[in-house]
Amino acid sequence: MHMRSDAVVLFGVTGDLVSKKLFPALYELTRRDRLNVPVIGVARSPWDDQQLVTMARKSVLEANDEIDEETFDGLAANLSMISGDYADPTTYQRLAERLRDAERPVFYLAIPPAVFGSVVEGLAAVGLAGRGRVIVEKPFGRDLESSRELDRTLRAAFDSERVFRIDHYLGKEAVEGLYAFRFANRLFEPLWNNEHIDNIQVTLAEAFGTQGRAGFYDTVGATRDVLQNHILQVVALIAMEAPASDDTTAFREAEAAVLRQIAPLSPESTVRGQYAGYRDEPGVAADSNTETFVATRLTVDSPRWAGVPFYLRTGKSLPGTATEVVVEFKQPQRSLIPAERGTATAANLLRFRLGRGDGITMSIQAKSPGAEVASRPVDLSVDFGSALGRRQEAYERLLDDAMDGQHLRFARAETIEQEWRIVAPILDLPAPVLSYDKGTWGPADAEALAGGWHAPYLR
Ligand code: BG6
């Protein structure tokens, strides 16, 4: 067992990620008696400890309907602030002084990639890197080359077993559930191949726009923001072979192995869109060609998946919010039972609902009522919230894991490099993005790409 971290340092503590995700996670860990160590916020803004506590309370209240005062007081008592420039050596000297009793601090870099280098070097210069762990947020670079460069920077200061690369989809219980579904059940795995599966669709749809992050988002776009990481992680879990054993190394190897078999995406089967009005948002370039929507087709070059297209799409300002994988099975080998009169034949579908209200819905054919021998689709559905109760939030699990030095739910350097290799041909395409109206499923061309998408169950 690795030794647990005895301090948490949040770089970029005044930012969006910390208030939306990390404070609620720290609160939850405190509630579960998993966190009673100093939590030090670092940022350029001149905040004092009280401002940090006020922000923490606000974010816990935004994430939860109510707050347990005793738990919050426990967290607040551990919070303190260091304000300083990331390029200023005294920032790190003050941090080292504050951490003099900590043997294994964990450093969370919730900061723009442009300042990763200064922070890592600053930590190394005061001897903190040698005894700490580092958690790095996505986006991990902007492309293959910059992600390798970033990795070199990190590895110059931290040994590889001290580097934790976040893709919070790996921390979601529902996403991890894909792995459990496949390898804890006998029922579907024999069908999990090109003999029985026609196509697979992955949708990560969001009803909202850039939510005040337009300045950042405009430098990134949908492909770098979620396709390169979250969606490809989901694809890896759906498509991977069974790991050679149940340990972390075997799991991560199986994940990297399937990514190696994915061909680079092609611009010809990719549709990029931008919602109308995006360019008027503060922080967005007036002539921005950044995509807020992308749909594409991917192939996995393996005996299991040859000939099975994977259709992927994600976008902002779509008709609803949902993350779903729909596995569409082939039709029965021999068609004896027609679809109900006036309806089209429907395929069996296995729908993994991975977002809020997660669960699985399976569409099967049932005999339609009446004298006619025909069938119509009906759903078998399980809602995991009702069946399993509360599940932990991704960031709560990931912080807990990193504090324990556990890598299972973090991405390997190679995994991230493979993801960049896959998306490389569709990054920064010169062709103008296609406009779409807010509240629609992106440009019309995207609809044609999959020859009909299965509409997600929207929330
Ligand atoms: C983040 C992206 O990584 O993932 C956001 O930067 C996106 O743009 C978010 O909204 C989606 O995550 P979730 O957990 O809300 O599905």
Side-chain angles (χ1 to χ4, degrees):
M1 187 67 180
H2 302 274
M3 300 280 270
R4 190 149 171 99
S5 294
D6 51 4
V8 177
V9 181
L10 304 173
F11 282 90
V13 76
T14 53
D16 205 47
L17 181 80
V18 177
S19 64
K20 280 201 185 124
K21 301 289 185 190
L22 299 185
F23 277 139
L26 292 168
Y27 168 81
E28 209 43 58
L29 289 174
T30 307
R31 198 181 60 74
R32 286 173 35 219
D33 275 337
R34 299 289 295 160
L35 184 92
N36 191 8
V37 298
V39 177
I40 303 167
V42 185
R44 281 175 287 220
S45 313
W47 280 20
D48 59 21
D49 294 354
Q50 192 46 48
Q51 276 168 293
L52 188 64
V53 170
T54 305
M55 170 50 107
R57 168 179 277 277
K58 190 164 165 271
S59 49
V60 171
L61 274 169
E62 269 164 27
N64 300 275
D65 300 335
E66 50 184 10
I67 193 163
D68 176 65
E69 294 298 342
E70 203 180 318
T71 301
F72 186 77
D73 289 348
L75 173 61
N78 284 324
L79 289 177
S80 71
M81 181 75 201
I82 289 183
S83 296
D85 199 277
Y86 297 132
D88 178 359
T90 65
T91 305
Y92 305 95
Q93 287 156 12
R94 282 185 289 144
L95 181 61
E97 175 56 25
R98 188 87 53 94
L99 288 173
R100 65 184 178 277
D101 295 330
E103 289 172 20
R104 289 170 304 277
V106 59
F107 303 101
Y108 198 121
L109 308 191
I111 47 175
V115 288
F116 278 170
S118 322
V119 172
V120 170
E121 283 157 26
L123 290 172
V126 294
L128 283 172
R131 62 182 211 262
R133 299 182 174 128
V134 66
I135 307 178
V136 197
E137 254 303 326
K138 60 162 271 281
F140 201 83
R142 288 188 58 74
D143 52 23
L144 183 55
E145 199 33 62
S146 56
S147 90
R148 283 191 175 142
E149 182 60 43
L150 181 55
D151 210 53
R152 279 193 286 272
T153 306
L154 286 171
R155 303 276 280 269
F158 293 89
D159 299 338
S160 60
E161 76 275 13
R162 292 166 181 271
V163 178
F164 295 82
R165 301 173 194 82
I166 289 234
D167 178 326
H168 79 277
Y169 267 54
L170 277 175
K172 284 182 185 262
E173 296 226 38
V175 173
E176 202 167 49
L178 293 171
Y179 178 68
F181 177 88
R182 287 194 52 201
F183 300 118
N185 290 303
R186 181 67 183 258
L187 202 51
F188 295 99
E189 199 54 22
L191 308 178
W192 219 246
N193 55 52
N194 55 4
E195 199 186 329
H196 301 288
I197 292 178
D198 185 84
N199 71 84
I200 295 180
Q201 303 186 356
V202 183
T203 298
L204 196 169
E206 296 179 321
F208 45 87
T210 54
Q211 292 188 311
R213 302 155 69 219
F216 160 77
Y217 191 86
D218 199 42
T219 64
V220 177
T223 303
R224 288 187 171 93
D225 189 39
V226 300
L227 177 63
Q228 179 264 347
N229 37 75
H230 305 332
I231 293 187
L232 289 182
Q233 281 294 346
V234 168
V235 169
L237 290 172
I238 287 285
M240 76 199 295
E241 299 300 321
S245 73
D246 64 0
D247 66 26
T248 296
T249 310
F251 172 79
R252 294 169 102 207
E253 172 50 29
E255 195 182 32
V258 72
L259 290 168
R260 278 179 222 132
Q261 293 178 304
I262 297 178
L265 298 174
S266 118
E268 289 72 45
S269 36
T270 298
V271 177
R272 293 161 68 244
Q274 186 186 78
Y275 60 80
Y278 171 75
R279 290 179 191 173
D280 303 330
E281 292 182 14
V284 174
D287 59 350
S288 170
N289 199 36
T290 298
E291 76 286 356
T292 59
F293 174 96
V294 60
T296 190
R297 192 180 65 218
L298 168 152
T299 54
V300 184
D301 189 9
S302 70
R304 186 193 284 267
W305 295 115
V308 179
F310 285 64
Y311 299 107
L312 319 176
R313 65 176 169 172
T314 181
K316 303 245 182 230
S317 296
L318 299 188
T321 299
T323 303
E324 276 195 2
V325 178
V326 179
V327 177
E328 179 175 332
F329 287 85
K330 293 186 171 170
Q331 297 290 335
Q333 273 113 335
R334 223 183 125 206
S335 170
L336 293 169
I337 310 200
E340 207 170 277
R341 209 183 305 263
T343 68
T345 320
N348 289 148
L349 303 179
L350 199 49
R351 185 187 293 269
F352 298 92
R353 294 177 277 112
L354 304 177
R356 214 172 270 280
D358 60 319
I360 296 179
T361 303
M362 187 161 76
S363 300
I364 58 166
Q365 296 297 315
K367 192 193 131 351
S368 50
E372 193 188 10
V373 181
S375 71
R376 77 157 73 144
V378 291
D379 284 352
L380 293 176
S381 199
V382 55
D383 174 24
F384 285 155
S386 322
L388 305 171
R390 178 189 184 269
R391 266 77 39 69
Q392 297 169 356
E393 290 292 331
Y395 278 97
E396 176 188 338
R397 312 175 79 209
L398 293 173
L399 273 171
D400 204 7
D401 284 353
M403 288 182 76
D404 272 341
Q406 299 292 351
H407 280 97
L408 178 67
R409 302 185 182 97
F410 293 88
R412 252 177 32 176
E414 192 209 339
T415 299
I416 293 174
E417 287 177 15
Q418 289 296 336
E419 292 169 347
W420 283 121
R421 177 190 61 74
I422 294 165
V423 300
I426 65 160
L427 294 175
D428 308 315
L429 290 175
V433 288
L434 304 173
S435 181
Y436 63 95
D437 287 334
K438 284 186 186 175
T440 68
W441 284 110
D445 293 11
E447 212 41 54
L449 186 78
W453 294 87
H454 297 290
Y457 286 18
L458 298 176
R459 306 276 307 172

